Amino acid sequence: LENNEFIVHYQPQVTVKTKKTHSVEALVRWEHPEKGMLFPNYFIEYAEKSGLISKLGDLVLKSACEQVVKWMNDGMVDIHVAINISKRQIIDNDFVLRSIGIIEEVGLSPKNIEFEITESMLTVDSVDTINKLNQLRDYGIRISLDDFGTGYSSFNSLHELPIQILKIDKGLI
């Protein structure tokens, strides 16, 4: 983090009919000085264990918001960015306020942001997690549940969650 070795890449989501990009997913990579480009499976677990995941998450959020603002200034309208949120991030008491602060500092509308959570996040103090997700949704951020079907949630429990988008894991299908 101190050496600015983390970079954000973007995976586009394209509308089939129009062939236009309507959203992107922000994906962090570590440009290691000796090992080259490292994918998250090589460092996220350590970032979570060391407590650096919140700083890394803030960096990804700010970078992604700044990039979307640039794209919009260049003429891309109605594009939004999906950002993965870890269990450790959502546990932080100031996660919601920090996220809102970054978004407002950059000047991006929250309607252009989607936070992706996984089913496993809901096992960590689910009442507090759901409260924080409600605050984010009420602010205007879309909430998506990624990899649904890999854990123990049921379709019946979905109505209790403040999600707008459900991404079903291929294993469930």
Side-chain angles (χ1 to χ4, degrees), residues 120-166:
S120 61
M121 283 183 64
L122 303 173
T123 61
V124 179
D125 194 1
S126 63
V127 172
D128 185 54
T129 298
I130 289 172
N131 285 338
K132 288 176 181 172
L133 294 174
N134 276 320
Q135 290 173 34
L136 293 165
R137 186 200 59 205
D138 292 346
Y139 176 66
I141 296 171
R142 284 185 269 202
I143 308 295
S144 67
L145 181 60
D146 197 12
D147 298 331
F148 181 79
T150 58
Y152 297 103
S153 295
S154 70
F155 281 107
N156 283 341
S157 66
L158 290 177
H159 74 279
E160 299 170 6
L161 303 175
I163 61 171
Q164 289 89 10
I165 300 165
L166 179 65

Coordinates of all heavy atoms in Angstrom, one line a residue, residues 120-166:
S120 N -21.3 -15.6 2.6 CA -20.6 -15.9 3.8 C -20.5 -14.6 4.7 O -20.3 -14.8 5.9 CB -19.2 -16.4 3.5 OG -18.5 -15.4 2.8
M121 N -20.6 -13.5 4.1 CA -20.6 -12.2 5.0 C -21.8 -12.2 5.9 O -21.7 -11.5 7.0 CB -20.7 -11.0 4.1 CG -19.3 -10.7 3.4 SD -19.4 -9.2 2.5 CE -19.8 -8.0 3.7
L122 N -22.9 -12.8 5.6 CA -24.1 -12.7 6.4 C -24.0 -13.5 7.7 O -24.8 -13.4 8.5 CB -25.3 -13.1 5.5 CG -25.4 -12.3 4.3 CD1 -26.5 -12.8 3.4 CD2 -25.7 -10.8 4.6
T123 N -22.9 -14.4 7.8 CA -22.8 -15.2 9.0 C -22.0 -14.4 10.1 O -22.0 -14.8 11.2 CB -22.0 -16.4 8.7 OG1 -20.7 -16.1 8.1 CG2 -22.7 -17.3 7.7
V124 N -21.4 -13.2 9.7 CA -20.7 -12.4 10.6 C -21.6 -11.3 11.2 O -21.9 -10.4 10.5 CB -19.4 -11.8 10.0 CG1 -18.7 -10.9 10.9 CG2 -18.6 -12.8 9.4
D125 N -22.1 -11.5 12.4 CA -22.9 -10.5 13.0 C -24.0 -10.0 12.0 O -23.9 -8.8 11.6 CB -22.1 -9.4 13.6 CG -23.0 -8.5 14.6 OD1 -24.2 -8.8 14.8 OD2 -22.4 -7.5 15.1
S126 N -24.8 -10.9 11.6 CA -25.7 -10.5 10.5 C -26.6 -9.3 10.8 O -27.0 -8.6 9.8 CB -26.6 -11.8 10.1 OG -27.4 -12.2 11.2
V127 N -27.0 -9.1 12.0 CA -27.9 -7.9 12.3 C -27.1 -6.7 12.0 O -27.7 -5.8 11.3 CB -28.4 -8.0 13.8 CG1 -29.1 -6.7 14.1 CG2 -29.3 -9.2 14.0
D128 N -25.9 -6.6 12.5 CA -25.1 -5.4 12.2 C -24.8 -5.2 10.8 O -24.9 -4.1 10.2 CB -23.8 -5.4 13.1 CG -23.0 -4.2 12.9 OD1 -23.5 -3.1 13.2 OD2 -21.8 -4.3 12.5
T129 N -24.5 -6.3 10.1 CA -24.2 -6.3 8.7 C -25.4 -5.8 7.9 O -25.2 -4.9 7.0 CB -23.7 -7.7 8.2 OG1 -22.5 -8.1 8.9 CG2 -23.5 -7.7 6.7
I130 N -26.5 -6.4 8.2 CA -27.8 -6.0 7.5 C -28.1 -4.5 7.7 O -28.5 -3.8 6.8 CB -28.9 -6.9 7.8 CG1 -28.7 -8.3 7.2 CG2 -30.3 -6.3 7.3 CD1 -29.6 -9.3 7.6
N131 N -27.9 -4.0 9.0 CA -28.1 -2.6 9.3 C -27.2 -1.7 8.4 O -27.6 -0.7 7.9 CB -27.8 -2.3 10.8 CG -29.0 -2.8 11.6 OD1 -30.1 -3.0 11.1 ND2 -28.7 -3.0 12.9
K132 N -25.9 -2.1 8.3 CA -25.0 -1.3 7.5 C -25.3 -1.4 6.0 O -25.3 -0.3 5.3 CB -23.5 -1.8 7.7 CG -23.0 -1.5 9.1 CD -21.6 -2.0 9.3 CE -21.1 -1.7 10.7 NZ -19.9 -2.4 11.1
L133 N -25.7 -2.5 5.6 CA -26.1 -2.6 4.2 C -27.4 -1.8 3.9 O -27.5 -1.1 2.8 CB -26.4 -4.1 3.8 CG -25.1 -5.0 3.8 CD1 -25.5 -6.4 3.5 CD2 -24.1 -4.5 2.8
N134 N -28.3 -1.7 4.9 CA -29.5 -0.9 4.7 C -29.1 0.6 4.6 O -29.7 1.3 3.8 CB -30.5 -1.1 5.9 CG -31.4 -2.3 5.7 OD1 -31.9 -2.5 4.6 ND2 -31.6 -3.0 6.7
Q135 N -28.1 1.0 5.5 CA -27.7 2.4 5.4 C -27.1 2.7 4.1 O -27.4 3.8 3.5 CB -26.6 2.6 6.5 CG -27.2 2.6 7.9 CD -26.0 2.7 9.0 OE1 -25.0 3.3 8.7 NE2 -26.2 2.0 10.1
L136 N -26.3 1.8 3.5 CA -25.7 2.1 2.2 C -26.7 2.1 1.1 O -26.7 3.0 0.3 CB -24.6 1.0 1.9 CG -23.4 1.0 2.8 CD1 -22.6 -0.3 2.7 CD2 -22.5 2.2 2.5
R137 N -27.7 1.2 1.2 CA -28.8 1.2 0.2 C -29.6 2.4 0.3 O -29.9 3.0 -0.7 CB -29.6 -0.1 0.4 CG -30.7 -0.2 -0.7 CD -31.8 -1.1 -0.3 NE -32.5 -0.5 0.8 CZ -33.2 -1.2 1.7 NH1 -33.3 -2.5 1.5 NH2 -33.7 -0.7 2.8
D138 N -29.9 2.9 1.5 CA -30.7 4.1 1.7 C -29.9 5.3 1.2 O -30.6 6.3 0.8 CB -31.0 4.3 3.2 CG -32.0 3.2 3.7 OD1 -32.6 2.5 2.9 OD2 -32.2 3.1 4.9
Y139 N -28.6 5.3 1.2 CA -27.8 6.4 0.7 C -27.9 6.4 -0.9 O -27.6 7.4 -1.5 CB -26.4 6.2 1.2 CG -25.4 7.2 0.6 CD1 -25.5 8.6 1.0 CD2 -24.4 6.8 -0.2 CE1 -24.6 9.5 0.4 CE2 -23.4 7.7 -0.7 CZ -23.6 9.1 -0.4 OH -22.7 10.0 -0.9
G140 N -28.2 5.2 -1.4 CA -28.3 5.1 -2.9 C -27.4 4.1 -3.6 O -27.4 3.9 -4.8
I141 N -26.5 3.5 -2.8 CA -25.7 2.4 -3.3 C -26.4 1.1 -3.5 O -27.2 0.7 -2.7 CB -24.5 2.2 -2.4 CG1 -23.6 3.4 -2.2 CG2 -23.6 1.0 -2.8 CD1 -22.6 3.4 -1.1
R142 N -26.2 0.5 -4.7 CA -26.9 -0.8 -5.0 C -26.1 -1.9 -4.2 O -24.9 -1.8 -4.2 CB -26.9 -1.1 -6.5 CG -27.9 -0.3 -7.2 CD -27.9 -0.8 -8.6 NE -27.0 0.1 -9.4 CZ -27.0 0.3 -10.7 NH1 -27.9 -0.4 -11.4 NH2 -26.2 1.1 -11.2
I143 N -26.8 -2.8 -3.7 CA -26.2 -3.9 -3.0 C -26.5 -5.2 -3.8 O -27.6 -5.5 -4.2 CB -26.7 -4.1 -1.6 CG1 -26.6 -2.8 -0.8 CG2 -26.0 -5.2 -0.9 CD1 -25.2 -2.3 -0.5
S144 N -25.4 -6.0 -4.1 CA -25.6 -7.2 -4.8 C -25.1 -8.4 -4.0 O -24.1 -8.2 -3.2 CB -25.0 -7.2 -6.2 OG -23.6 -7.2 -6.1
L145 N -25.7 -9.5 -4.1 CA -25.3 -10.7 -3.4 C -24.7 -11.6 -4.5 O -25.4 -12.1 -5.4 CB -26.5 -11.4 -2.7 CG -26.2 -12.7 -1.9 CD1 -25.2 -12.4 -0.8 CD2 -27.4 -13.3 -1.4
D146 N -23.4 -11.8 -4.4 CA -22.6 -12.6 -5.3 C -22.5 -14.0 -4.8 O -22.5 -14.3 -3.6 CB -21.2 -11.9 -5.5 CG -20.5 -12.4 -6.7 OD1 -21.1 -13.0 -7.6 OD2 -19.3 -12.1 -6.8
D147 N -22.3 -14.9 -5.8 CA -22.1 -16.4 -5.5 C -23.2 -17.0 -4.6 O -22.9 -17.9 -3.8 CB -20.7 -16.6 -4.8 CG -19.5 -16.1 -5.6 OD1 -19.7 -16.2 -6.8 OD2 -18.5 -15.7 -5.0
F148 N -24.4 -16.5 -4.8 CA -25.5 -17.1 -4.1 C -25.6 -18.6 -4.4 O -25.6 -19.0 -5.6 CB -26.9 -16.4 -4.4 CG -28.0 -17.0 -3.6 CD1 -28.2 -16.7 -2.3 CD2 -28.9 -17.9 -4.2 CE1 -29.3 -17.2 -1.6 CE2 -29.9 -18.5 -3.5 CZ -30.1 -18.1 -2.2
G149 N -25.8 -19.4 -3.4 CA -25.8 -20.9 -3.6 C -24.6 -21.6 -3.2 O -24.6 -22.8 -3.2
T150 N -23.6 -20.9 -2.7 CA -22.4 -21.5 -2.2 C -22.4 -21.7 -0.7 O -21.6 -22.4 -0.2 CB -21.1 -20.7 -2.6 OG1 -21.2 -19.4 -2.1 CG2 -21.0 -20.6 -4.1
G151 N -23.3 -21.1 -0.1 CA -23.4 -21.2 1.4 C -24.7 -21.8 1.8 O -25.2 -22.7 1.2
Y152 N -25.3 -21.3 2.9 CA -26.4 -22.0 3.5 C -27.7 -21.1 3.4 O -28.7 -21.5 4.0 CB -26.1 -22.3 5.0 CG -25.0 -23.3 5.1 CD1 -23.7 -22.9 5.5 CD2 -25.2 -24.7 4.7 CE1 -22.7 -23.8 5.5 CE2 -24.2 -25.6 4.8 CZ -22.9 -25.2 5.2 OH -21.9 -26.1 5.3
S153 N -27.7 -20.0 2.7 CA -28.8 -19.2 2.6 C -29.9 -19.9 1.7 O -29.6 -20.7 0.9 CB -28.5 -17.8 2.0 OG -27.6 -17.1 2.8
S154 N -31.1 -19.5 2.0 CA -32.2 -20.1 1.2 C -32.9 -18.9 0.4 O -32.7 -17.8 0.8 CB -33.2 -20.8 2.1 OG -33.9 -19.8 2.9
F155 N -33.6 -19.3 -0.6 CA -34.3 -18.3 -1.4 C -35.3 -17.6 -0.4 O -35.6 -16.4 -0.6 CB -35.1 -18.9 -2.5 CG -34.2 -19.2 -3.7 CD1 -33.8 -20.5 -4.0 CD2 -33.7 -18.2 -4.5 CE1 -32.9 -20.8 -5.1 CE2 -32.8 -18.4 -5.6 CZ -32.5 -19.7 -5.8
N156 N -35.9 -18.3 0.6 CA -36.8 -17.7 1.5 C -36.2 -16.5 2.3 O -36.8 -15.6 2.7 CB -37.3 -18.7 2.5 CG -38.4 -19.6 1.9 OD1 -39.0 -19.2 0.9 ND2 -38.6 -20.7 2.5
S157 N -34.9 -16.6 2.6 CA -34.2 -15.6 3.4 C -33.9 -14.3 2.6 O -33.5 -13.3 3.1 CB -32.9 -16.1 4.0 OG -32.0 -16.4 3.0
L158 N -34.0 -14.4 1.3 CA -33.6 -13.3 0.4 C -34.4 -12.0 0.7 O -33.9 -10.9 0.6 CB -33.6 -13.6 -1.1 CG -32.6 -14.6 -1.6 CD1 -32.8 -15.0 -3.0 CD2 -31.2 -14.1 -1.3
H159 N -35.7 -12.2 1.0 CA -36.5 -11.0 1.2 C -36.1 -10.2 2.4 O -36.4 -9.0 2.6 CB -38.0 -11.4 1.3 CG -38.3 -12.1 2.6 ND1 -38.1 -13.4 2.8 CD2 -38.9 -11.6 3.7 CE1 -38.5 -13.7 4.0 NE2 -39.0 -12.7 4.6
E160 N -35.3 -10.8 3.3 CA -34.8 -10.1 4.5 C -33.6 -9.2 4.2 O -33.2 -8.4 5.1 CB -34.5 -11.1 5.6 CG -35.7 -11.9 6.1 CD -35.3 -13.1 7.0 OE1 -34.1 -13.2 7.4 OE2 -36.1 -13.9 7.3
L161 N -33.0 -9.4 3.1 CA -31.7 -8.8 2.8 C -31.9 -7.5 1.9 O -32.8 -7.5 1.0 CB -30.8 -9.7 2.0 CG -30.5 -11.1 2.7 CD1 -29.6 -12.0 1.8 CD2 -29.7 -10.8 4.0
P162 N -31.2 -6.5 2.2 CA -31.3 -5.2 1.4 C -30.6 -5.3 0.1 O -29.7 -4.5 -0.2 CB -30.7 -4.2 2.3 CG -29.7 -5.0 3.1 CD -30.2 -6.4 3.3
I163 N -30.8 -6.3 -0.7 CA -30.1 -6.5 -2.0 C -31.1 -6.1 -3.2 O -32.3 -6.3 -3.1 CB -29.6 -7.9 -2.2 CG1 -30.7 -8.9 -2.2 CG2 -28.5 -8.2 -1.1 CD1 -30.2 -10.3 -2.6
Q164 N -30.4 -5.6 -4.2 CA -31.2 -5.3 -5.5 C -30.8 -6.3 -6.6 O -31.5 -6.4 -7.5 CB -30.9 -3.9 -5.9 CG -31.5 -2.8 -5.1 CD -30.6 -2.3 -3.9 OE1 -29.5 -2.7 -3.9 NE2 -31.2 -1.6 -3.0
I165 N -29.6 -6.9 -6.4 CA -29.1 -7.8 -7.5 C -28.7 -9.1 -6.9 O -28.0 -9.1 -5.8 CB -27.9 -7.1 -8.2 CG1 -28.3 -5.8 -8.8 CG2 -27.3 -8.0 -9.3 CD1 -27.2 -4.9 -9.2
L166 N -29.0 -10.2 -7.5 CA -28.7 -11.5 -7.1 C -27.9 -12.2 -8.2 O -28.3 -12.3 -9.3 CB -29.9 -12.3 -6.8 CG -29.7 -13.8 -6.3 CD1 -29.0 -13.8 -4.9 CD2 -31.0 -14.5 -6.2

